[in-house]
Amino acid sequence: MVSKAETRAMKKALKLAAYGRGSTFPNPMVGAVILDLNGDHAGDGFHRKCGAPHAEVIAIASAGDAASGGTMVVTLEPCCHHGRTGPCTDEIIRAGISRIVIAMTDPDPRVSGRGIKQLESAGIEVETGLFSGKARELNRVYHHYLETSRSWITLKMALSLDGRTAAADGSSRWISCDKSRRLVHRMRTSVQAVLTGAGTVRKDDPELTVRLADTLSGRQPVRIVVSSTGDFGDSWKIFKSPGRVIIAVPEGVAMRLTEYTGIPGVEVWEFPADSGIQGINLTSLFERTAAEGIGSILCEAGSDLSTRLLKDKLVDSVSVFTAPVILGSEGRPAFELLGIDNIENVIRLENVSSHRSGSDFLTEGCVVYRVD
Ligand SMILES: NC(=O)c1ccc[n+]([C@@H]2O[C@H](COP(=O)([O-])OP(=O)(O)OC[C@H]3O[C@@H](n4cnc5c(N)ncnc54)[C@H](OP(=O)(O)O)[C@@H]3O)[C@@H](O)[C@H]2O)c1
């Protein structure tokens, strides 16, 4: 049985955990609250960034002596192994916690149930499953990484009412309203990288930084541009605006990019040419980004790259703004051919939310792929 105070504490722990968004990867976001013997709030903490103390340790320190005999409410099973920091289970046992309420077990095979067993063996009463759905959703990037070794990809698009991304001449600024554009800048602050294709760079010369008023957080996402040719036309803004820029190209193209690699922050990643496609294997790209600590990526590309990502089943969630404008079938479609020949084969979304964003409508959801 979970008490009302513990339920309230878990809601707070989930909120605290979210403060670590974008900074904890490859660790999960975790929040913890400690209730004293009377069920009153005694301390709390969250995991701020990878390598920093874990939420449980911070919460114990902030509760002081009140932790002894108290209850810990935590969004994820405490770790029981030596990583960058020591095992949290040892700290919890040492602090004299008598009961622990855990939202979900840790899918990391080094922990997965072992943390709970250790706590139970030490005589601590353990309750699991409170708000487990919310806890899983909170750490979807972490779960995805453990399951696939890849970064989480969110495909963001601004569409006309008739599903077009640009007019016939390629102009697309601005399909969406001011409010939606500010929201996109906020989305950029919550991911670790923004991805686009060379087609958008050539056509729009975008910066893809966070720069609109009230969205500035001081943190700029890494910008990634994929190209099979290394041809960016006369566009320079993305390379010259401050921050890290990765140009991802097939082997042999880097030597054509010397005028870009001289710019501070710009680096080139080469991948073996993929015999089946023109360009690089995008799965390899996202395995490398994840290995380099980039957990989440917002894709802001045109129909070519967006289609390739969907076809390769690499889009994990979508954020689509629909604006009250019509571009006609001469406009650029959101996607090219996807090979969907029957309504039964559509790509569906789950956990869908829709709401107004100024004069636009924002629909978000996770992509469900058919198992072939
Ligand atoms: N409404 C919106 O939300 C939105 C958002 C972004 C862009 N747009 C519009 O979209 C239009 C551009 O669309 P687009 O389809 O041409 O551009 P895109 O999808 O952004 O870029 C396509 C290019 O990306 C590179 N690429 C794609 N897959 C690759 C792979 N696997 N390996 C290596 N390189 C890869 C290729 O570059 P190379 O040619 O160098 O090989 C390809 O030509 C513009 O008009 C822009 O305004 C609209």
Side-chain angles (χ1 to χ4, degrees):
M1 262 299 269
V2 175
S3 71
K4 277 190 181 154
E6 288 166 351
T7 304
R8 271 198 305 276
M10 186 61 88
K11 285 184 185 162
K12 183 173 173 88
L14 286 163
K15 247 189 210 154
L16 287 172
Y19 287 130
R21 193 179 301 284
S23 315
T24 62
F25 187 81
N27 284 353
M29 289 178 258
V30 184
V33 171
I34 292 179
L35 302 175
D36 66 15
L37 276 168
N38 304 318
D40 291 330
H41 180 277
D44 56 43
F46 69 96
H47 185 42
R48 198 171 284 277
K49 62 176 189 180
C50 181
H54 289 186
E56 298 91 320
V57 173
I58 298 171
I60 288 169
S62 82
D65 292 343
S68 182
T71 298
M72 175 177 282
V73 178
V74 60
T75 56
L76 190 71
E77 176 181 10
C79 69
C80 54
H81 63 289
H82 284 272
R84 289 181 185 86
T85 58
C88 286
T89 45
D90 289 358
E91 297 290 330
I92 293 166
I93 294 164
R94 207 173 295 134
I97 295 282
S98 65
R99 173 176 159 81
I100 181 159
V101 181
I102 300 169
M104 66 174 298
T105 51
D106 189 341
D108 184 331
R110 292 170 300 176
V111 185
S112 197
R114 284 195 201 97
I116 290 174
K117 272 209 186 91
Q118 248 183 48
L119 296 169
E120 283 174 338
S121 307
I124 298 175
E125 188 186 327
V126 181
E127 184 92 42
T128 46
L130 178 63
F131 294 129
S132 60
K134 282 205 163 68
R136 193 185 155 88
E137 171 59 20
L138 173 80
N139 272 316
R140 65 187 190 179
V141 170
Y142 171 70
H143 287 271
H144 180 258
Y145 172 62
L146 286 178
E147 284 158 14
T148 67
S149 305
R150 294 195 307 263
S151 308
W152 176 283
I153 311 300
T154 299
L155 181 61
K156 173 249 132 188
M157 288 184 141
L159 303 184
S160 64
L161 259 190
D162 51 343
R164 303 278 147 176
T165 56
D169 65 353
S171 55
S172 64
R173 288 174 163 174
W174 299 104
I175 290 180
S176 52
C177 69
D178 270 8
K179 186 167 182 186
S180 300
R181 290 207 301 282
R182 276 203 304 280
L183 186 52
V184 169
H185 280 238
R186 264 204 297 279
M187 286 177 178
R188 289 178 190 163
T189 64
S190 69
V191 293
Q192 288 162 292
V194 176
L195 166 74
T196 196
T200 296
V201 173
R202 286 190 292 263
K203 180 70 199 165
D204 294 349
D205 197 7
E207 279 184 58
L208 299 179
T209 49
V210 179
R211 58 189 185 282
L212 289 187
D214 82 6
T215 58
L216 295 170
S217 70
R219 193 173 70 190
Q220 289 292 350
V222 175
R223 281 149 303 141
I224 304 171
V225 188
V226 292
S227 172
S228 66
T229 59
D231 173 9
F232 304 113
D234 297 328
S235 299
W236 284 99
K237 282 190 192 155
I238 193 164
F239 307 110
K240 290 201 166 163
S241 40
R244 185 179 177 199
V245 181
I246 296 164
I247 305 175
V249 290
E251 263 169 8
V253 174
M255 59 185 156
R256 290 182 227 153
L257 296 172
T258 46
E259 51 183 337
Y260 299 96
T261 47
I263 303 169
V266 176
E267 58 196 87
V268 177
W269 289 4
E270 281 195 304
F271 293 85
D274 195 318
S275 54
I277 56 159
Q278 199 198 354
I280 63 169
N281 181 313
L282 295 165
T283 303
S284 306
L285 171 64
F286 300 139
E287 285 169 353
R288 178 153 174 201
T289 49
E292 297 222 359
I294 297 173
S296 51
I297 298 177
L298 185 70
C299 177
E300 302 189 44
S303 55
D304 179 77
L305 181 55
S306 304
T307 303
R308 292 200 207 199
L309 291 169
L310 258 190
K311 275 186 160 170
D312 289 351
K313 301 187 176 176
L314 290 168
V315 178
D316 301 297
S317 61
V318 297
S319 296
V320 174
F321 293 90
T322 312
V325 297
I326 294 172
L327 282 167
S329 60
E330 59 272 50
R332 305 273 175 91
F335 299 106
E336 292 160 14
L337 298 181
L338 285 168
I340 299 170
D341 53 0
N342 186 288
I343 195 70
E344 287 191 357
N345 299 336
V346 291
I347 298 169
R348 287 193 189 281
L349 301 185
E350 64 180 10
N351 300 328
V352 179
S353 71
S354 292
H355 55 88
R356 289 293 295 264
S357 167
S359 55
D360 305 334
F361 215 74
L362 172 62
T363 302
E364 297 187 285
C366 295
V367 181
V368 185
Y369 294 101
R370 271 167 55 91
V371 183
D372 296 320

